[in-house]
Amino acid sequence: MAVCLFPSLRLLPRRTLNKSPVPFPPSPSIASGYRIHPRTQTKKRSVIECRASTVEEVAEDVLLPREAEEVKIVEEKYDWREEWYPLYLTAEVPDDAPLGLTVFDKQVVLYRDGQGVLRCYEDRCPHRLAKLSEGQLVDGRLECLYHGWQFEGDGKCVKIPQLPEGGKIPRAACVRTYEVRDSQGTVWVWMSEKNPPNLSKLPWFEHYARPGFQDTSSIHELPYDHSILLENLMDPAHVPISHDRTDWTAKREDAQPLLMTVTERSMRGFAGGWCRANNPSVMNSLRFDAPCVLQNNLEFVDKKGVQLYFSALFLCRPAGQGKSMLIVRFGASSRPMLFNLIPNWYFHQNACEVFEQDMGFLSSQNEVLMREKVPTKQLYLNLKFSDTWVLEYRKWMDRVGSGMPYYVGHETVSMPAVAAVVEEAPAGIAAGVAASVPAKGGMGEAQMPDPTNRYYRHVVHCKGCRNAVKGFRTWKDVLRLMSLALVAAAVVASARQWRVGLLVMAALLLGASKACSIVAALITTNFIRTHRRL
């Protein structure tokens, strides 16, 4: 993801992080957390031999050490359920339909009741386990479309059409509810089934509460694990190469060593700073707060003495094995007037293009990690000048992995009980076909969601982009009909000057129709690298 889109802020104090700049403690023993599938034994040996020969050829000060650092730190128990997870942008939650979402392997349904209050249930009807997200809203109640059972507020069933008159609704006819909070424009869900919501853990972002702070927000569904997404977002070194000329300040000739530091560590995450080697005076900051929040911020004083703040906020929800959902917010305390004239759909399609540039190799990376079933220590060759936070993140996974459904750490690994279903992002002609229709297997009709298709990764989650596509397509048809009408009028016109004038107007309208078609395609069609060939 393009770092220049998320220039970053000075590190803000957080009570949840240990301020002492000490490295992580030893990770759990290999025997306790690292399981090798029998079929991978030989592969692992060959990988290690290859790495050993590589290390000998590279200067020692270039690579990050693969050994765990021996430091004592107070142990805390981590439980992924005792956390807040970002579900959706508040403004994008539909008013007239339920919304099915996933946190790890837990399926939930989010909707607004008759009073506009956000409600969240387990996404299954207690009757016959049908998905409530496939249902509908009736008088503010969530109705299961299988047999019409209706639920409201606290999850109690208030209507069963099949009951005889006067029949009592069974007490067990209720759904599991989850607490949700709308905070700073994002809906958060508390996943614990044992404890009430811990509001001290609910994320709060100082910049976004500042008067006059403006941001552009969007949602993206991505076909790879949230840990790979976070790893990618922690990696400013890839931006000049992967996003050359896509992000407005990314140029491949600017690829260079980065100076990266880690200043805070705890069970709740870590924080640090980074700068480019050729411009050390501009120090960005990065902060990862468990389990989903990554900030990349910048704070400085301009020539007029005004304090300016820029922030990129990434909220990365695990949406099942091999899938993630990202809420991305780019904000600033001040921005050029030109930005206010550019429609949001343009910024959104640019962000989509950036994610598509990464999607092919990140989804394939997901596939390799699931197949190899070994820690990243055995696979990654981490460089000091680009991969400091990647190593830091995988070491954090070592510490907290026992409290997660599955994970791949630096030295330990615990694979999911059921293998992930991962769809690799298409390339070349295959990508063109996938991007030319809104759904896999469809001929212009939405039949089946395709997580590699921009329409399903972003447009279905964004009211602004849906309305823009609908508007441009409507204008395309209207302008085309008007053009045909003018051509018909030119045919029957008697005066030559009238015929010429009508045909010129018809040509202009036809060109405008084509422009509307191009913009609609820009919003919905995947980016394809032109240097790729099948």
Side-chain angles (χ1 to χ4, degrees):
M1 182 61 197
V3 171
C4 49
L5 284 179
F6 51 87
S8 307
L9 143 159
R10 176 175 57 85
L11 220 53
L12 296 172
R14 286 288 291 261
R15 61 181 180 278
T16 56
L17 288 173
N18 183 350
K19 296 276 174 113
S20 77
V22 294
F24 267 118
S27 50
S29 68
I30 298 296
S32 65
Y34 175 17
R35 300 194 298 275
I36 305 176
H37 194 280
R39 288 179 295 180
T40 65
Q41 296 270 12
T42 305
K43 286 185 180 180
K44 192 193 85 164
R45 198 177 304 115
S46 64
V47 169
I48 294 174
E49 290 171 0
C50 173
R51 286 179 58 87
S53 64
T54 304
V55 172
E56 290 174 0
E57 297 166 4
V58 180
E60 290 183 1
D61 61 350
V62 171
L63 297 174
L64 287 166
R66 287 182 286 140
E67 294 74 20
E69 297 157 330
E70 297 184 3
V71 176
K72 291 183 179 179
I73 198 168
V74 177
E75 288 290 338
E76 303 174 38
K77 184 175 177 58
Y78 182 85
D79 185 348
W80 73 271
R81 298 174 187 84
E82 304 293 313
E83 300 284 1
W84 292 95
Y85 290 84
L87 278 183
Y88 226 61
L89 285 171
T90 309
E92 302 297 345
V93 178
D95 297 319
D96 57 353
L99 185 64
L101 302 167
T102 307
V103 180
F104 279 117
D105 59 342
K106 300 291 185 182
Q107 295 178 329
V108 300
V109 57
L110 179 70
Y111 76 99
R112 294 184 186 274
D113 67 15
Q115 286 71 48
V117 178
L118 291 165
R119 305 288 185 178
C120 187
Y121 302 154
E122 184 177 22
D123 194 9
R124 67 184 191 188
C125 179
H127 177 215
R128 298 267 287 281
L129 309 183
K131 278 193 171 185
L132 293 173
S133 58
E134 297 288 338
Q136 61 185 351
L137 298 182
V138 179
D139 299 327
R141 300 168 177 171
L142 181 55
E143 180 183 84
C144 176
L145 268 182
Y146 197 3
H147 294 91
W149 289 29
Q150 293 182 3
F151 305 87
E152 67 177 6
D154 57 4
K156 290 182 180 179
C157 182
V158 294
K159 181 179 180 180
I160 298 179
Q162 294 77 23
L163 281 180
E165 187 175 350
K168 291 187 176 180
I169 296 175
R171 187 174 296 179
C174 60
V175 291
R176 163 90 175 86
T177 62
Y178 293 93
E179 291 281 348
V180 290
R181 293 289 187 277
D182 177 1
S183 177
Q184 296 182 292
T186 301
V187 181
W188 298 82
V189 61
W190 176 254
M191 292 303 297
S192 177
E193 299 177 0
K194 300 182 297 183
N195 299 315
N198 183 345
L199 294 179
S200 69
K201 286 186 175 182
L202 183 64
W204 178 260
F205 308 108
E206 194 69 32
H207 285 350
Y208 294 82
R210 296 178 185 275
F213 196 83
Q214 304 175 62
D215 73 282
T216 299
S217 305
S218 58
I219 306 178
H220 306 266
E221 198 164 2
L222 299 166
Y224 43 84
D225 193 76
H226 83 291
S227 65
I228 292 175
L229 172 61
L230 279 166
E231 196 180 85
N232 174 248
L233 297 171
M234 293 175 186
D235 176 23
H238 82 282
V239 174
I241 303 298
S242 298
H243 310 308
D244 179 29
R245 268 78 181 178
T246 300
D247 191 341
W248 299 318
T249 59
K251 299 177 181 179
R252 64 179 299 107
E253 56 267 27
D254 290 339
Q256 60 188 279
L258 302 178
L259 306 179
M260 310 174 85
T261 61
V262 178
T263 57
E264 303 178 27
R265 293 180 174 94
S266 81
M267 290 287 288
R268 300 293 304 154
F270 57 88
W274 71 275
C275 64
R276 295 177 176 86
N278 67 358
N279 191 13
S281 62
V282 179
M283 179 63 70
N284 295 261
S285 73
L286 177 140
R287 178 181 293 278
F288 166 65
D289 290 313
C292 297
V293 177
L294 183 69
Q295 298 183 66
N296 213 318
N297 303 313
L298 177 66
E299 179 179 328
F300 65 91
V301 178
D302 67 5
K303 296 178 180 179
K304 299 179 181 178
V306 178
Q307 191 83 12
L308 298 179
Y309 305 93
F310 298 90
S311 177
L313 180 60
F314 302 99
L315 310 177
C316 310
R317 171 164 53 83
Q321 295 174 43
K323 296 180 182 178
S324 55
M325 180 166 277
L326 171 66
I327 296 175
V328 56
R329 306 183 70 172
F330 296 121
S333 56
S334 176
R335 59 185 185 184
M337 286 295 296
L338 176 63
F339 275 60
N340 298 324
L341 302 177
I342 301 174
N344 277 339
W345 61 258
Y346 178 82
F347 292 113
H348 289 193
Q349 68 82 29
N350 183 260
C352 285
E353 183 172 337
V354 168
F355 288 119
E356 285 152 9
Q357 290 171 340
D358 287 343
M359 192 165 63
F361 47 78
L362 293 182
S363 57
S364 63
Q365 179 187 356
N366 196 133
E367 193 173 302
V368 171
L369 289 177
M370 292 294 104
R371 183 176 64 245
E372 295 290 337
K373 300 181 175 67
V374 298
T376 58
K377 177 181 177 179
Q378 306 297 334
L379 300 171
Y380 288 8
L381 199 63
N382 291 319
L383 300 180
K384 289 182 179 180
F385 304 102
S386 61
D387 304 317
T388 297
W389 293 327
V390 171
L391 177 62
E392 197 71 40
Y393 177 61
R394 292 298 173 180
K395 285 186 175 182
W396 176 80
M397 298 282 269
D398 285 333
R399 285 187 51 75
V400 306
S402 60
M404 301 179 73
Y406 59 88
Y407 75 100
V408 177
H410 175 62
E411 290 195 277
T412 61
V413 61
S414 178
M415 302 307 294
V418 180
V421 178
V422 180
E423 290 194 60
E424 187 173 348
I429 295 174
V433 174
S436 64
V437 295
K440 181 195 306 176
M443 296 302 293
E445 297 294 331
Q447 295 181 11
M448 180 180 178
D450 178 356
T452 66
N453 186 290
R454 184 184 293 191
Y455 183 85
Y456 280 105
R457 283 186 295 99
H458 171 68
V459 177
V460 296
H461 300 292
C462 179
K463 293 178 183 177
C465 286
R466 288 199 307 275
N467 290 337
V469 171
K470 183 179 178 180
F472 282 117
R473 285 177 175 170
T474 299
W475 274 108
K476 177 197 71 173
D477 295 337
V478 169
L479 292 171
R480 186 174 295 174
L481 288 173
M482 292 174 63
S483 177
L484 292 174
L486 289 174
V487 170
V491 170
V492 299
S494 57
R496 183 175 180 275
Q497 61 268 31
W498 277 103
R499 287 199 298 272
V500 172
L502 290 171
L503 288 174
V504 169
M505 291 178 62
L508 291 174
L509 291 179
L510 192 61
S513 174
K514 180 61 176 178
C516 290
S517 179
I518 291 172
V519 173
L522 184 67
I523 299 172
T524 59
T525 303
N526 285 23
F527 163 83
I528 304 170
R529 292 191 188 276
T530 55
H531 68 267
R532 286 189 164 182
R533 297 290 183 270
L534 288 182

